Amino acid sequence: MKIAILGAGAMGSLYGGLLSQKNEVYLIDIWQEHVEQINKNGLVIQTAKEEKTYRPQAVTSAAQAGPADLVIIFVKSVHTDTALAQSRELFAEHTIALTLQNGYGNDEDILPYVQAANLLIGTTASGATVLQAGKVFQAGIGPTNIGTRDNRASENIAKIVRLFNDCGIESYVSDNIMEAVWTKLMVNVGINAVTALLDVRNGFLAESTAAYEVAEALVKEGTAVAKAEGYELNAAEIAEKYYIHGAKVVGQNRSSMLQDVDKKRKTEIEKINGAIVRIGKKHNIATPYNELIVKLINAKEDTYSLQ
Ligand code: NAD
């Protein structure tokens, strides 16, 4: 299958590298040095155990790749619209688009560029970080779940799940992907902004009662909003499972929002806590904790221009 990965940073490189074992893969990224390095020396994926080199093709523009059978969108959500507007050449009538980005509402950003029936949405429990141009680290490995935004059955899902599993990416067809999206959103709602503002690793939530209570309050508002949308999630369970128990497993992780703030990059706050505020308004549900934390992250982003 011809696969284009739009945004080949940490996650795009990880998926693109693995998929290149059995498919024609194009990594598309505006990061020139990364693209050059991959074409010259291959893409290196490092894990805790080994280092392997893969040979996808890397390009800086969609025009160099042309129409693909599958486009996986892996830019940060703030760049989805710009990246897609620059990449119309990837889409033919039959092209399937898949987003595995974090946050809520990525599918709406993609919809103008693809046939609605060909849009798939998913979650991934894997994690990665960029080490240097041409080299990424697979930080965690976990399942990928794929479905459609209205939980409609589609032949495309099974096809992509098979293709992923064939390349060692453990994947499942989900008949309720939106519930998985909401659950993952809740994890990010509690962890990302708090760790980014406090400049701490995820495990800190299990060490500080005050930080934990802020995360839990954010998630409680989130679950109230999720309920209004038809998804019954338990805030206390999520906080306990991911912030206390999870801290033992991935406590050393630095959240992606903390990494963005460190590098003075625009964060995905609008698709995470911002989504809770937006959807809360639609249902007349007050979300003061989430409103405040969105503003604090926005203010943090404003500090980037200070010397
Ligand atoms: P990243 O910043 O490492 O990679 C994004 C890439 O997109 C960068 O290399 C950037 O140069 C590229 N890009 C930006 N604008 C572009 C454009 N116009 N055209 C082409 N490329 C462009 O980000 P990431 O950590 O790989 O995250 C990608 C998505 O996956 C995010 O939504 C994130 O929340 C989600 N996610 C990340 C992880 C993780 O562990 N890193 C885990 C799960 C989900």
Side-chain angles (χ1 to χ4, degrees):
M1 193 182 244
K2 181 172 172 185
I3 302 173
I5 312 273
L6 187 55
M11 294 299 283
S13 293
L14 174 65
Y15 275 70
L18 295 173
L19 290 170
S20 72
Q21 297 171 103
K22 294 194 175 176
N23 299 278
E24 182 190 0
V25 170
Y26 288 84
L27 301 181
I28 303 162
D29 205 292
I30 51 175
W31 184 14
Q32 184 112 24
E33 195 193 346
H34 187 50
V35 166
E36 281 169 8
Q37 187 65 25
I38 292 167
N39 288 332
K40 200 165 150 217
N41 297 318
L43 167 73
V44 180
I45 300 181
Q46 186 184 312
T47 67
K49 285 188 288 189
E50 58 178 9
E51 218 176 79
K52 264 180 103 174
T53 303
Y54 299 85
R55 293 278 172 189
Q57 306 191 51
V59 293
T60 50
S61 79
Q64 295 166 270
D69 303 314
L70 169 67
V71 178
I72 307 178
I73 294 100
F74 254 142
V75 289
K76 286 273 169 77
S77 59
V78 276
H79 299 127
T80 304
D81 191 47
T82 315
L84 283 167
Q86 294 164 344
S87 304
R88 291 178 193 271
E89 294 90 343
L90 298 179
F91 295 94
E93 191 87 359
H94 73 288
T95 305
I96 300 168
L98 166 66
T99 167
L100 296 172
Q101 296 157 292
N102 275 332
Y104 187 93
N106 296 303
D107 52 334
E108 280 155 31
D109 293 347
I110 298 166
L111 208 48
Y113 298 91
V114 64
Q115 305 278 336
N118 291 347
L119 175 55
L120 302 183
I121 182 164
T123 58
T124 170
S126 287
T129 49
V130 171
L131 293 176
Q132 62 195 59
K135 187 169 183 178
V136 299
F137 178 67
Q138 180 167 15
I141 184 145
T144 301
N145 287 294
I146 303 175
T148 50
R149 58 206 301 265
D150 48 6
N151 291 330
R152 176 182 35 84
S154 152
E155 273 175 28
N156 287 338
I157 311 174
K159 189 159 83 181
I160 303 304
V161 163
R162 249 193 330 271
L163 182 114
F164 277 24
N165 281 315
D166 266 359
C167 292
I169 302 170
E170 181 195 348
S171 301
Y172 301 93
V173 174
S174 169
D175 58 10
N176 195 358
I177 193 64
M178 291 315 291
E179 186 172 284
V181 167
W182 272 101
T183 304
K184 179 123 201 246
L185 179 66
M186 289 309 127
V187 178
N188 292 321
V189 156
I191 291 182
N192 286 26
V194 175
T195 53
L197 289 169
L198 295 176
D199 190 13
V200 291
R201 291 177 187 272
N202 293 356
F204 185 72
L205 293 185
E207 289 160 22
S208 159
T209 307
Y212 179 85
E213 284 175 0
V214 175
E216 198 185 25
L218 291 166
V219 174
K220 269 193 185 143
E221 290 180 359
T223 51
V225 171
K227 189 171 178 191
E229 288 278 302
Y231 299 94
E232 194 82 47
L233 307 173
N234 184 317
E237 237 170 58
I238 288 172
E240 167 64 27
K241 179 171 171 194
Y242 292 98
Y243 309 157
I244 301 298
H245 176 71
K248 294 181 193 127
V249 189
V250 290
Q252 285 307 306
N253 277 11
R254 293 161 61 76
S255 72
S256 59
M257 201 171 288
L258 173 57
Q259 293 182 44
D260 285 338
V261 166
D262 271 351
K263 292 187 178 143
K264 297 192 183 333
R265 290 189 302 220
K266 197 128 180 62
T267 70
E268 296 188 297
I269 192 77
E270 300 306 333
K271 286 282 190 295
I272 300 177
N273 303 86
I276 301 302
V277 175
R278 260 192 322 278
I279 306 167
K281 284 204 172 106
K282 192 173 99 186
H283 296 288
N284 281 323
I285 296 172
T287 56
Y289 276 94
N290 280 278
E291 263 183 51
L292 177 64
I293 211 134
V294 169
K295 288 228 178 343
L296 284 170
I297 291 290
N298 290 157
K300 189 77 190 168
E301 292 168 346
D302 288 342
T303 67
Y304 297 168
S305 55
L306 301 176
Q307 290 307 311

